[in-house]
Amino acid sequence: MLLKLDLTDSRPLHEQVAGAIRRAIAEGECAPGDRLPPARELSRALGVNANTVLRGLRALRDEGVLEFRRGRGVTVAGGADQRAELLQQAAALVAEAARLGYSRADLVELIRRLP
């Protein structure tokens, strides 16, 4: 799995780590059931602190994209590829709404009105 961070990106590094992993899953580099490299290995490859990587991994676990299993490491959750793609699209929608001057609350209201 080849992950890259954009050092010019203003988002916090842990969010960039999570986004890079989401993208790898959505693009098929990682499939459900695949095991991710250890956090220390990812941190060395990305040039960031291991705690930053762990924070990104925990966010993905909380979203249901990753599973943490004692003794087996971190694996991609079943259905994560579809979930990761949907999360990417949702993030893009939120960003576009903000660019157009809509708040998240406005966006939620617009979605609620959809048939």
Side-chain angles (χ1 to χ4, degrees), residues 34-38 66-76:
D34 285 353
R35 186 172 173 195
L36 268 58
L66 299 178
E67 295 176 342
F68 288 25
R69 298 209 175 155
R70 188 174 301 277
R72 292 182 51 195
V74 179
T75 58
V76 178

Side-chain angles (χ1 to χ4, degrees), residues 91-102:
L93 177 61
V94 169
E96 180 64 12
R99 189 183 73 73
L100 295 173
Y102 290 95

Side-chain angles (χ1 to χ4, degrees), residues 13-46:
L13 286 173
H14 70 276
E15 289 180 13
Q16 291 184 51
V17 169
I21 295 170
R22 262 192 228 102
R23 204 170 16 264
I25 294 168
E27 292 176 359
E29 288 184 50
C30 299
D34 285 353
R35 186 172 173 195
L36 268 58
R40 285 188 181 143
E41 190 177 313
L42 286 172
S43 71
R44 278 193 298 269
L46 295 170

Side-chain angles (χ1 to χ4, degrees), residues 56-68:
L57 293 174
R58 282 191 296 267
L60 293 173
R61 177 199 59 200
D62 294 346
E63 293 173 9
V65 174
L66 299 178
E67 295 176 342
F68 288 25

Side-chain angles (χ1 to χ4, degrees), residues 73-96:
V74 179
T75 58
V76 178
D81 47 350
Q82 296 167 349
R83 185 175 179 85
E85 186 175 339
L86 180 61
L87 287 170
Q88 274 189 310
Q89 291 174 359
L93 177 61
V94 169
E96 180 64 12

